[in-house]
Amino acid sequence: MLPLTIGVVLVVSAGLSLTGMVFEDSCKCALGLSALLSMPLALLMLVTGTLMFIHRDEYFDYLEDRAGSDETSTESLETWYNVLAAGFFVTALLQIFRCLASRKLLFFVKLDASELRAAFLEDSSEYARRQDDSKQEIRAKYDGIRETYRSKYATERIRATNGDEDEEKKSDLI
């Protein structure tokens, strides 16, 4: 029953990792769940591998009592038993590595999303700042042009006003 449980948990964990990687925009949490699930899975595999090595002699004594004295089948079973127990340890180490890698990957996926948001906000604020600067430059330019024309026409009015007064003075003198 334990190997079946481990197999099911491995498949679920792999499915969560795959879902988190393929659909990274909508299923980022699946990658985090897979990373969290891999540590208990690694612990379960370490316990299973340790129990297999501890109870190895008891298992083979039981097989020898029930099966008879077929040396070739017992040797091949012993070899495969050791391979299976070692496989549990190797898979546990791989699960620990996958946990660390998934957490780093999830961190960078979240970092990329937050950097993208920050870059977007920075770009939009930069755009708004450039628009404001452009408006101020245009306003300053046209204010300068208005001031130039106001001073030009104000001088002409003063001259025109002064010219009319000079003509009145001349006509008074005559």
Side-chain angles (χ1 to χ4, degrees), residues 14-144:
L16 287 172
S17 286
L18 182 67
T19 304
M21 289 299 298
V22 172
F23 306 108
E24 68 181 48
D25 290 337
S26 60
C27 296
K28 289 178 192 173
C29 63
L31 195 58
L33 287 174
S34 172
L36 292 175
L37 188 60
S38 64
M39 284 310 279
L41 186 59
L43 182 64
L44 183 64
M45 289 183 168
L46 284 174
V47 167
T48 304
T50 304
L51 288 175
M52 285 180 75
F53 276 124
I54 290 173
H55 297 292
R56 184 177 146 225
D57 293 333
E58 294 171 17
Y59 176 73
F60 284 111
D61 288 342
Y62 175 78
L63 280 181
E64 285 178 9
D65 290 343
R66 301 286 186 248
S69 63
D70 191 11
E71 285 295 321
T72 57
S73 67
T74 306
E75 286 179 14
S76 67
L77 277 177
E78 191 171 341
T79 303
W80 283 111
Y81 187 86
N82 290 334
V83 167
L84 183 64
F88 277 113
F89 284 111
V90 170
T91 309
L93 290 175
L94 289 174
Q95 287 298 319
I96 291 170
F97 174 72
R98 190 176 66 79
C99 174
L100 297 174
S102 294
R103 285 185 180 173
K104 279 287 191 189
L105 183 63
L106 184 63
F107 172 75
F108 285 119
V109 165
K110 286 180 180 178
L111 183 67
D112 287 344
S114 64
E115 282 180 354
L116 184 63
R117 268 190 236 106
F120 176 73
L121 291 174
E122 181 181 329
D123 189 42
S124 64
S125 66
E126 178 68 23
Y127 176 75
R129 189 190 58 78
R130 281 189 307 227
Q131 290 288 50
D132 290 341
D133 289 346
S134 176
K135 286 179 184 179
Q136 289 175 358
E137 287 175 14
I138 291 171
R139 186 172 289 133
K141 175 183 167 184
Y142 284 114
D143 284 345

Side-chain angles (χ1 to χ4, degrees), residues 138-139 141-151:
I138 291 171
R139 186 172 289 133
K141 175 183 167 184
Y142 284 114
D143 284 345
I145 292 173
R146 272 191 226 107
E147 190 60 38
T148 303
Y149 283 118
R150 281 184 189 145
S151 64

